[in-house]
């Protein structure tokens, strides 16, 4: 079996398991796994930018959090008691302020468009994208690379979190936005503990994986990989490296924003902790564990780490040391299995001693085609000449 | 754009030069690494630049491909001023650069390296929905055959020998279909047999392509070259055939005491 065939089987098996899980899970676990799948979408975003383009963002939580807040604002306003003005603003307003969204607190007019849930849903993707475009433009045009990108993105996430916390009258501050309405689209309500929200997450995850895979196995993925390998060479071949980086950074932010919205749907809250450094770094650990250059690997990494983490949090012994375990896991992965679980899978499929040693099939990892035969003969000949 | 500033001196030669520099100068901390270089390369020419270490040869190529910005002077490719337009734009306008230490995409196969190089639709959105073929195009087969890489198409670049890496980078530059190819010591670190093959390859390229080569090895230079430009302390010292250069008193003086020409 070639690696390509094996990975297609792995994808199909994963999709099948994800789609079948609610049949066997109770409502508590349906909700838990739905949240893990949300984290999987985050890990895919990391895999796209870090795994494929070498851009290690440690501020992915900023985009995740923005996505979550955008939808949470709409779902706050969807609660009847929060009209015309959300409770959190009434608690924080000046005594004689006008009780209207336009001016009840400083900046409260920013909430006005979010009376429409559709706006919230679109903003959940678009706002992180725009934010990433602005940050990315500054970074990449100045040719910031490597660890500096990580530091800058981390700094922006910290700034974002502080802005949310410090503007309590506008954002709910440290408590964030809770007591949200359920997401309702066209009269259909997404129950976070039922299969509806679960399938919204699962189907989004599958769509994101398929789209990302389609894109990254195409020309753009090849160019991104080339940029990751040698940025200067890509430039001397005529590629505007900055634009490619900016593109994948924005797409990755959009994916994180989408995941953030689904987090709001499944968790019914948005807090500044979503932008915490620890969560951003956790996302990187999920992707690294699963295999950063593999979309499915990153996905599975997020599921496994979060599942084990949740088991650990129920044990009095493991709960306090879980962050340490997570840190050690990252060190072990980076040192000993740089391609994570996906790398082990690939090594197993490609292991030596397997029957397929003929021709280019093994090297290419692709199925043999008849028209390649004459090329192989040709290459044999030219190899002998050399 | 800058067409207004175009100098009129080019018309003097019957075949207009494909690449031309004017007063090209770059200073690093006030030290002039390249000084007032006026270079003129004709279409289809194979030109070799020689000079001792630190003479400014590699810096000159860096200026031509946009890696370094000139402090003064202009670079013209045909009738386009390419000074300061950025590496990628210079590459797209037709300048191909091969470095002394081969820079290729190590984790990709030879075929993938060639595919990235030969893809001339370089913008993000042009590539968004484009598929990548699993087998080489005729063009990629041709360029691989020419550089002796046809048998290694499916191998990762990291598995290639040093000589093969040099050829791969050359093959990538050829795939760009550049108007002019800049080669920085193409035979560096090669075995005698590989050097022979590289010389043949360069002679094969000359005529069909315009090539500018930096080289240390005078035996190699005599083999491949028609016109030599000698650089010394950042400036052009002399220009001519191998015999003329070796008889030139200024050149001899510049090399006296340090090294003989054959080791320059």
């Amino acid at each position: 079996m070639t690696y390509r065939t094996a990975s297609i089987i792995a994808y199909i098996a994963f999709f099948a398991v994800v789609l079948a899980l609610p049949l066997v899970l109770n409502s508590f676990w349906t909700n838990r796994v739905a949240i893990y799948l949300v984290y999987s979408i985050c890990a895919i975003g990391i895999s796209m930018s870090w795994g494929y383009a070498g851009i290690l963002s440690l501020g992915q939580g900023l985009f995740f959090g923005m996505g979550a807040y955008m939808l949470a604002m709409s779902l706050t306003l969807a609660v009847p008691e929060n009209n015309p003005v959300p409770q959190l603003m009434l608690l924080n307003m000046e005594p004689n302020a006008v009780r209207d969204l336009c001016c009840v607190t400083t900046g409260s007019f920013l909430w006005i468009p979010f009376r429409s849930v559709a706006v919230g849903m679109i903003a959940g993707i678009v706002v992180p994208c725009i934010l990433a475009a602005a940050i990315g433009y500054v970074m990449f045009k100045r040719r910031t690379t490597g660890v500096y990108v990580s530091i800058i993105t981390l700094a922006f996430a910290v700034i974002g979190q502080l802005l949310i916390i410090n503007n309590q009258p506008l954002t709910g501050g440290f408590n964030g936005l809770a007591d949200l309405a359920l997401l309702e689209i066209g009269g259909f309500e997404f129950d976070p503990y039922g299969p509806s929200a679960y399938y919204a997450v699962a189907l989004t995850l599958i769509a994101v994986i398929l789209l990302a895979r389609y894109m990254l196995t195409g020309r753009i993925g090849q160019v991104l990989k080339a940029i990751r390998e040698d940025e200067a060479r890509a430039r001397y071949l005529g590629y505007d490296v900055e634009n490619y980086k900016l593109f994948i950074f924005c797409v990755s932010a959009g994916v994180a924003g989408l995941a953030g919205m689904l987090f709001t749907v499944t968790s019914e809250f948005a807090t500044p902790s979503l932008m915490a450094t620890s969560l951003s770094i956790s996302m990187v650990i999920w992707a690294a564990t699963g295999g950063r250059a593999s979309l499915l690997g990153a996905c599975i990494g997020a599921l496994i780490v979060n599942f084990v983490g949740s088991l650990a949090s129920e044990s009095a012994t493991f709960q306090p040391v879980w962050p340490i375990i997570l840190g050690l896991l990252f060190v072990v992965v980076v040192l000993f299995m740089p391609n994570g679980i996906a790398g082990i899978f690939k090594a197993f499929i490609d292991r030596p001693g397997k029957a397929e040693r003929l021709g280019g099939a093994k090297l290419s990892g692709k199925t043999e085609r008849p028209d390649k035969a004459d090329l192989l003969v040709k290459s044999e000949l030219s190899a002998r000449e050399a | 754009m800058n067409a207004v500033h175009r100098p009129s001196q080019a018309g003097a030669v019957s075949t207009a030069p494909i690449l031309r520099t004017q007063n090209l100068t770059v200073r690093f901390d006030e030290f002039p690494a390249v000084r007032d270089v006026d270079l003129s390369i004709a279409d289809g020419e194979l030109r070799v630049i020689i000079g001792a270490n630190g003479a400014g040869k590699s810096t000159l190529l860096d200026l031509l491909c946009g890696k370094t910005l000139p402090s003064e002077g202009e670079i013209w490719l045909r009738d386009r001023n390419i000074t300061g337009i950025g590496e990628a734009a210079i590459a797209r306008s037709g300048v191909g650069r091969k470095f002394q230490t081969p820079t290729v995409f190590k984790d990709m196969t030879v075929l993938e390296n060639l595919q990235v190089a030969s893809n001339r639709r370089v913008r993000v959105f042009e590539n968004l929905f484009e598929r990548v073929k699993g087998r080489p195009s005729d063009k990629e087969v041709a360029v691989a055959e020419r550089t002796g890489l046809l048998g290694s198409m499916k191998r990762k670049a990291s598995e290639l020998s040093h000589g093969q890496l040099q050829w791969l980078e050359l093959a990538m530059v050829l795939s760009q279909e550049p108007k002019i190819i800049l080669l920085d010591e193409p035979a560096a670190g090669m075995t005698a047999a590989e050097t022979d093959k590289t010389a043949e390859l360069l002679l094969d390229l000359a005529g069909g392509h315009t090539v500018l080569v930096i080289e240390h090895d005078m035996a190699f230079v005599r083999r491949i070259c028609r016109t030599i430009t000698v650089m010394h302390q950042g400036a052009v010292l002399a220009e001519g055939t191998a015999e003329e250069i070796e008889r030139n008193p200024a050149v001899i003086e510049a090399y006296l005491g340090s090294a003989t020409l054959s080791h320059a």
Side-chain angles (χ1 to χ4, degrees):
Chain A
M1 185 162 47
T2 63
Y3 177 62
R4 189 187 164 84
T5 323
S7 54
I8 289 173
I9 292 172
Y11 272 96
I12 293 172
F14 175 75
F15 293 160
V17 169
V18 165
L19 292 175
L21 270 179
L23 302 176
V24 294
L25 296 177
N26 62 24
S27 67
F28 173 78
W29 276 104
T30 303
N31 178 256
R32 292 300 323 161
V33 176
I35 293 174
Y36 300 160
L37 292 178
V38 167
Y39 292 150
S40 286
I41 299 177
C42 289
I44 292 172
I46 297 272
S47 170
M48 291 172 88
S49 65
W50 185 33
Y52 281 83
I55 304 165
L56 175 55
S57 162
L58 290 183
Q60 204 70 355
L62 175 63
F63 309 125
F64 180 68
M66 289 305 285
Y69 265 90
M70 293 299 123
L71 187 59
M73 283 161 81
S74 280
L75 296 183
T76 299
L77 293 176
V79 176
E81 298 88 79
N82 285 334
N83 273 303
V85 171
Q87 297 290 320
L88 70 100
M89 291 185 186
L90 293 179
L91 296 172
N92 289 292
M93 69 179 192
E94 299 290 325
N96 51 358
V98 187
R99 291 182 171 230
D100 187 273
L101 256 189
C102 76
C103 28
V104 60
T105 60
T106 318
S108 61
F109 67 91
L110 290 170
W111 280 66
I112 292 173
F114 292 91
R115 281 183 177 138
S116 149
V117 175
V119 168
M121 290 178 71
I122 293 167
I125 295 178
V126 172
V127 170
C129 276
I130 293 174
L131 205 59
I135 297 172
Y137 184 84
V138 176
M139 281 194 307
F140 300 133
K141 286 291 168 186
R142 290 176 161 270
R143 299 207 178 161
T144 309
T145 53
V147 70
Y148 298 102
V149 168
S150 311
I151 294 170
I152 292 172
T153 47
L154 181 73
F156 272 103
V158 172
I159 293 170
Q161 193 192 14
L162 285 178
L163 283 176
I164 299 274
I165 292 174
N166 292 341
N167 287 290
Q168 180 152 355
L170 184 63
T171 61
F174 202 77
N175 302 320
L177 304 174
D179 302 323
L180 308 176
L182 295 184
L183 176 65
E184 194 189 307
I185 298 174
F188 185 81
E189 210 172 54
F190 290 90
D191 171 16
Y193 289 88
S196 54
Y198 179 94
Y199 279 113
V201 177
L203 293 175
T204 309
L205 171 71
I206 291 172
V208 168
I209 290 185
L210 292 178
L211 282 173
R213 194 178 151 84
Y214 176 81
M215 192 174 81
L216 293 170
T217 53
R219 179 71 81 187
I220 201 154
Q222 196 179 47
V223 176
L224 285 169
K225 205 172 152 194
I227 289 171
R228 185 190 69 194
E229 293 290 308
D230 194 324
E231 207 175 305
R233 178 32 83 197
R235 266 195 199 101
Y236 295 119
L237 291 174
Y239 293 99
D240 285 314
V241 169
E242 297 74 25
N243 295 348
Y244 280 86
K245 287 185 159 183
L246 195 56
F247 170 78
I248 198 70
F249 188 61
C250 288
V251 170
S252 157
V255 168
L258 182 63
M261 285 200 287
L262 292 167
F263 182 86
T264 299
V265 172
T266 48
S267 304
E268 298 174 279
F269 68 84
T271 71
S273 65
L274 299 180
M275 297 183 186
T277 310
S278 57
L279 184 62
S280 292
I281 291 175
S282 297
M283 290 180 193
V284 172
I285 297 178
W286 304 336
T289 308
R292 62 180 169 121
S294 159
L295 297 169
L296 184 59
C299 228
I300 291 173
L303 285 178
I304 291 178
V305 174
N306 280 297
F307 179 68
V308 175
S310 117
L311 293 185
S313 72
E314 278 158 28
S315 134
T317 330
F318 284 113
Q319 198 264 333
V321 292
W322 175 244
I324 299 173
I325 298 175
L326 204 56
L328 284 175
L329 173 71
F330 188 55
V331 172
V332 169
V333 165
V334 167
L335 287 180
F336 301 110
M337 36 189 273
N339 294 315
I341 296 168
I344 294 174
F345 176 73
K346 187 171 194 302
F348 177 75
I349 298 295
D350 286 348
R351 69 190 182 278
K354 280 183 60 182
E356 289 186 64
R357 311 199 96 173
L358 265 173
K362 186 170 173 292
L363 280 170
S364 69
K366 282 169 190 148
T367 41
E368 188 92 39
R369 284 172 213 166
D371 51 11
K372 219 183 247 172
D374 61 335
L375 190 66
L376 285 168
V377 174
K378 237 177 173 178
S379 52
E380 279 293 315
L381 286 174
S382 67
R384 249 174 254 161
E385 272 170 29
Chain B
M1 240 168 45
N2 283 329
V4 193
H5 303 296
R6 190 185 166 191
S8 53
Q9 65 171 53
V13 210
S14 58
T15 47
I18 194 157
L19 183 93
R20 190 162 45 82
T21 68
Q22 249 196 331
N23 304 328
L24 199 59
T25 303
V26 68
R27 281 180 286 267
F28 300 125
D29 297 328
E30 297 306 307
F31 173 78
V34 169
R35 283 185 296 159
D36 292 325
V37 170
D38 293 322
L39 204 63
S40 181
I41 314 286
D43 204 351
E45 189 177 347
L46 172 61
R47 174 77 64 95
V48 176
I49 299 181
I50 63 168
N53 278 330
K57 309 181 300 292
S58 290
T59 311
L60 179 64
L61 290 204
D62 288 350
L63 289 167
L64 295 181
C65 73
K67 188 181 181 191
T68 307
L69 275 180
S71 313
E72 278 164 40
E74 287 180 350
I75 306 159
W76 289 79
L77 188 72
R78 285 253 161 79
D79 48 7
R80 185 169 178 210
N81 186 344
I82 59 166
T83 323
I85 63 173
E87 301 101 308
I90 289 178
R92 287 196 295 269
S93 73
V95 178
R97 167 92 192 251
K98 193 203 145 317
F99 291 86
Q100 188 176 347
T101 341
T103 60
V104 300
F105 308 119
K106 287 264 172 70
D107 203 32
M108 296 165 72
T109 64
V110 169
L111 174 60
E112 286 171 329
N113 270 281
L114 294 179
Q115 282 174 331
V116 172
S118 60
N119 177 31
R120 290 297 86 212
R121 292 165 43 175
V122 294
R123 284 177 212 296
V124 176
F125 290 100
E126 286 175 339
N127 288 320
L128 199 46
F129 300 108
E130 210 188 304
R131 302 283 81 201
V132 174
K133 292 187 181 66
R135 50 195 301 271
S137 67
D138 292 347
K139 189 181 142 186
E140 284 145 7
V141 169
V143 80
E145 197 155 31
R146 201 166 187 187
T147 46
L149 291 167
L150 198 53
S152 317
M153 283 296 229
K154 293 286 175 192
R155 288 172 69 193
K156 274 198 175 176
S158 54
E159 298 166 3
L160 298 180
S161 74
H162 179 77
Q164 284 176 315
L165 280 179
Q166 297 274 28
W167 290 326
L168 175 57
E169 199 185 16
L170 186 58
M172 288 163 75
V173 173
L174 286 175
S175 304
Q176 274 179 269
E177 296 179 349
K179 294 194 179 82
I180 180 162
I181 303 173
L182 311 176
L183 303 177
D184 198 342
E185 299 198 30
M190 282 189 171
T191 63
E194 286 172 336
T195 307
D196 281 349
K197 206 178 157 199
T198 306
E200 273 168 39
L201 192 56
L202 289 189
L203 289 171
D204 180 38
L205 289 182
H209 295 78
T210 311
V211 188
L212 182 58
V213 193
I214 288 182
E215 194 45 73
H216 270 283
D217 182 355
M218 273 310 285
F220 185 77
V221 171
R222 280 190 211 100
R223 241 180 106 179
I224 61 170
C225 194
R226 287 126 219 204
T227 314
I228 298 175
T229 299
V230 186
M231 285 189 75
H232 184 59
Q233 295 179 353
V236 173
L237 185 68
E239 217 165 81
T241 63
E243 297 79 51
E244 285 166 5
I245 291 296
E246 282 169 29
R247 281 198 306 265
N248 187 314
V251 176
I252 294 167
E253 193 183 335
Y255 283 99
L256 269 181
S258 56
T260 60
L261 245 189
S262 56
H263 295 114

